[in-house]
Amino acid sequence: MSTTVPVKAAKVSLEIVEILRERNGAGVSEIARAVDKPTSTVHDHLQTLEQEEYLVKEGTQYHVSTRFLQLGNQARSRKKVYEIARPEVDELAEKTGEHSNLMIEEHGLGVFLYKARGPDAVQLDTHAGMRVPLQTTALGKTIMAFRPRSEVESYLDRHGLPEVTERTITDREELFETLDQVRERGYAYDDEERVKGMRCLAAPITDQDERAIAAVSVSGPKSRMQGDRFSDEIPEQILRSANVIEVNLTYS
């Protein structure tokens, strides 16, 4: 039986790229401290990544290059759900005036695959490719609700339940109780659980086995996401959009 052995040099290079992404650029000494490697070693990695056009150097600072944008777009285009869901996400944003999002699960985290912004939408930090803990969003909760408990347990073992705001679910049993409610209701919501002042409603996109392969949502300021709009109007819209996406996925 073979085992996977991490290649240390590749691992260091990827760690450097991630640090540059998080810090929006950094110099050699700063990166060396962050990865706890000699400056000379880090310099070799940086030069190689720059020569291969994965980094750009501006003065003494290194930044990730737009080559990652090309790779990300190619990875996204391979997801059939992205191509099929995009028109529905756009329409949701237009009809509600708010942000509409498409999320998938990857390596136990929620990944924003696409975002559309309606005419009244506020500024948010979300963007295509952004990864977040699943339990912090309505999207992530609805994906987990339509996955086997053992699978969800493995996500939690790997990533835990990090607190992002004071309203984030950080207790495992509370989360599973919430997921039971989501299954009964058919959709999930989050109430300032990732972004203070924002509410979100999400519905699952499921396959023929009723397993969530993605989720679609609408998010907006708490002041606009309340009353009948929050309890009836938007849930009906996201459920309708999820259904359209599911049918198109099945017969495309």
Side-chain angles (χ1 to χ4, degrees), residues 4-242:
T4 302
V5 179
V7 179
K8 291 182 180 179
K11 193 173 181 180
V12 172
S13 287
L14 292 170
E15 190 176 352
I16 287 170
V17 169
E18 187 62 22
I19 287 166
L20 290 173
R21 183 194 67 80
E22 290 174 351
R23 303 187 183 195
N24 195 25
V28 179
S29 298
E30 182 182 349
I31 299 167
R33 287 192 298 271
V35 298
D36 194 23
K37 298 289 181 184
T39 302
S40 58
T41 300
V42 170
H43 186 263
D44 289 342
H45 282 275
L46 289 168
Q47 281 202 318
T48 301
L49 288 165
E50 185 185 12
Q51 287 169 6
E52 296 301 317
E53 300 180 354
Y54 287 98
L55 299 182
V56 293
K57 188 178 182 183
E58 299 174 1
T60 60
Q61 300 266 305
Y62 288 87
H63 299 264
V64 295
S65 79
T66 54
R67 185 153 190 185
F68 285 100
L69 182 63
Q70 178 187 22
L71 293 173
N73 281 335
Q74 184 175 358
R76 185 170 68 174
S77 66
R78 289 179 62 237
K79 298 287 185 182
K80 184 179 178 182
V81 68
Y82 165 73
E83 295 295 343
I84 290 175
R86 186 170 58 174
E88 286 298 319
V89 175
D90 287 338
E91 187 175 347
L92 266 178
E94 184 63 31
K95 283 182 175 179
T96 64
E98 309 288 0
H99 284 282
S100 183
N101 309 280
L102 177 69
M103 177 180 280
I104 61 168
E105 174 274 324
E106 195 171 79
H107 300 299
L109 293 171
V111 182
F112 285 93
L113 205 57
Y114 183 65
K115 180 181 84 170
R117 187 177 176 186
D120 301 321
V122 298
Q123 290 286 350
L124 282 178
D125 62 339
T126 51
H127 57 268
M130 183 177 181
R131 295 169 182 260
V132 297
L134 286 165
Q135 99 283 4
T136 64
T137 67
L139 289 153
K141 284 190 284 187
T142 202
I143 289 173
M144 288 190 289
F146 291 85
R147 295 280 177 92
R149 177 164 178 146
S150 59
E151 198 171 317
V152 176
E153 293 274 15
S154 70
Y155 303 156
L156 304 183
D157 290 342
R158 183 172 183 179
H159 299 290
L161 290 165
E163 182 177 337
V164 179
T165 75
E166 61 184 16
R167 301 183 69 92
T168 305
I169 296 175
T170 56
D171 178 80
R172 191 173 289 215
E173 286 312 309
E174 181 187 352
L175 174 63
F176 282 108
E177 288 175 8
T178 299
L179 298 184
D180 288 341
Q181 294 166 9
V182 171
R183 277 191 297 277
E184 290 177 12
R185 194 168 49 233
Y187 63 90
Y189 65 84
D190 78 67
D191 189 2
E192 303 183 89
E193 292 166 51
R194 194 187 75 82
V195 179
K196 191 173 182 180
M198 294 292 292
R199 277 180 160 179
C200 183
L201 290 154
I205 298 167
T206 59
D207 61 17
Q208 291 178 321
D209 296 320
E210 294 299 311
R211 171 188 169 84
I213 57 174
V216 63
S217 76
V218 169
S219 57
K222 190 172 183 177
S223 59
R224 295 202 295 253
M225 299 283 277
Q226 55 183 317
D228 291 342
R229 188 172 194 246
F230 189 72
S231 62
D232 298 314
E233 181 184 329
I234 291 180
E236 286 177 9
Q237 290 175 312
I238 58 171
L239 287 166
R240 189 183 307 118
S241 292

